[in-house]
Amino acid sequence: MEHAKTDPKIIRSNLLLLLTAAIWGMAFVAQSVGMDYVGPFTFTASRSFIAALVLIPVILFMNRNRQPADRPAFADRVRAHGGKKLLSAGISTGLALAAASSLQQYGIMYTTVGKAGFITALYILIVPLFGLFLGKKVHARIWLCIGIAIAGLYNLCMTDSLSLSGADILLILCACTFSIQILLIDYYSPLVDGVIMAQLQFLVCGAACLIPALIIEHPSLGALMAAWKPILYAGALSSGVGYTLQIAAQKNTDPVIASLLMSLESAFSLLSGWVILHQRLSGRELLGCGLMFAAIMISQAPARKAKTQGKGKTPQQIG
């Protein structure tokens, strides 16, 4: 039996998702430092609005460099299905992102970083489980990769016994909402302009977090100025670049593979600490990194073509 050729678009998208995971992993320090000055809702709202601002020149640049002959077609496309769908995409993904980010920030405040990283990354298992309810089949190879990845995350992140507390429940809800956000992007990204969708997502996320921030946390200008470096980094890179890359990349790869690739943020977080801060990795952490990369490599292996009538997998089959 012959191996199916891997689409260059899929390879490019998966590399973009790896870059996304690296950006998110290295941004964890910024999130942690920022929480010393402002509350979770304030931090999430601030970074989201900065991310939306960062995308303005990107959108203007893309529109200016669009060929004149393509501009009417683009406008027609936006009017035809990009209007209502774009608004629906921005609102739904923005609310999911606001809920997931806020739950994560609150969970990190009341539990260990290792446990928070492990529980949050359970979206790599929740995404295919949710996908089953949408009629998507999951190849046995992907389930194997999920199991290996979870074992890797356990070795990477866990430093004590797993026992559910209030913070753990918040982080489980965080993993569920991140799973919903991934599936929403999987649905909308082929239908609408990805960069505009990302900007709307950030604006909705920022607005949704700004209201509780003003009511509960009462942020001050002094606190925001003290936290400007981590907020700027998280907003411009982690949100503005990272989530936009996620939307662009998910157009050409399925959500389960995307969740596996993005879960590497835990590995990149430890590796960046090793390289930048000269923190040594334990043998257990190195084992976790190895298992994570093994899961990704196995998941990216070309699938064998089916012999039945020369057909491959159906569009509703993942992996």
Side-chain angles (χ1 to χ4, degrees):
M1 289 187 289
E2 297 179 355
H3 288 281
K5 291 184 178 180
T6 304
D7 189 337
K9 290 184 178 179
I10 296 177
I11 295 176
R12 185 164 57 249
S13 294
N14 291 345
L15 289 175
L16 288 177
L17 288 171
L18 277 174
L19 177 60
T20 300
I23 292 171
W24 286 345
M26 290 185 287
F28 190 81
V29 174
Q31 288 181 259
S32 179
V33 172
M35 294 288 288
D36 293 336
Y37 304 98
V38 296
F41 287 119
T42 302
F43 186 86
T44 304
S46 301
R47 68 181 288 188
S48 298
F49 286 132
I50 289 174
L53 288 173
V54 167
L55 291 183
I56 291 177
V58 176
I59 294 172
L60 294 175
F61 177 80
M62 290 175 61
N63 189 53
R64 185 168 60 180
N65 285 272
R66 204 180 299 274
Q67 294 296 326
D70 294 337
R71 288 173 188 168
F74 173 74
D76 292 340
R77 182 160 54 94
V78 171
R79 281 194 295 269
H81 62 76
K84 290 184 178 179
K85 280 194 181 296
L86 196 57
L87 186 62
S88 174
I91 292 174
S92 58
T93 57
L95 291 176
L97 181 61
S101 299
S102 300
L103 287 167
Q104 184 184 55
Q105 292 297 125
Y106 268 106
I108 290 173
M109 291 175 65
Y110 301 110
T111 190
T112 64
V113 169
K115 186 176 286 189
F118 175 69
I119 298 175
T120 301
L122 284 177
Y123 61 72
I124 67 174
L125 178 60
I126 298 172
V127 166
L129 290 177
F130 282 1
L132 291 175
F133 293 100
L134 300 176
K136 294 187 176 184
K137 298 178 181 178
V138 180
H139 196 280
R141 174 169 54 92
I142 300 302
W143 287 114
L144 172 64
C145 294
I146 290 170
I148 296 173
I150 289 176
L153 283 167
Y154 184 90
N155 283 282
L156 273 171
C157 301
M158 295 301 291
T159 56
D160 50 15
S161 61
L162 180 61
S163 58
L164 284 179
S165 63
D168 297 335
I169 294 173
L170 289 177
L171 290 166
I172 290 173
L173 292 174
C174 164
C176 291
T177 48
F178 267 131
S179 301
I180 293 171
Q181 189 247 9
I182 290 171
L183 290 170
L184 285 170
I185 288 176
D186 177 66
Y187 173 75
Y188 282 112
S189 58
L191 305 177
V192 299
D193 186 280
V195 179
I196 298 177
M197 173 183 167
Q199 187 182 49
L200 287 175
Q201 175 185 237
F202 297 137
L203 288 172
V204 171
C205 179
C209 292
L210 180 61
I211 296 172
L214 294 173
I215 296 174
I216 300 172
E217 298 172 355
H218 308 291
S220 65
L221 181 60
L224 289 171
M225 291 303 295
W228 75 269
K229 288 183 180 179
I231 289 176
L232 181 62
Y233 181 87
L237 283 179
S238 182
S239 292
V241 176
Y243 284 109
T244 304
L245 286 177
Q246 177 197 5
I247 290 173
Q250 278 196 232
K251 287 185 178 182
N252 298 306
T253 192
D254 67 69
V256 176
I257 297 297
S259 65
L260 278 168
L261 289 166
M262 289 184 290
S263 70
L264 275 174
E265 63 179 305
S266 295
F268 280 115
S269 177
L270 286 173
L271 290 172
S272 63
W274 183 27
V275 174
I276 299 171
L277 302 177
H278 308 290
Q279 296 174 342
R280 295 184 63 184
L281 294 176
S282 67
R284 179 174 175 175
E285 289 168 333
L286 287 171
L287 174 61
C289 288
L291 289 171
M292 289 291 294
F293 281 108
I296 300 303
M297 290 179 66
I298 295 171
S299 72
Q300 297 306 295
R304 293 182 180 274
K305 290 183 178 179
K307 281 187 173 181
T308 57
Q309 300 178 351
K311 295 182 180 180
K313 69 176 183 179
T314 65
Q316 294 300 311
Q317 183 178 1
I318 298 175

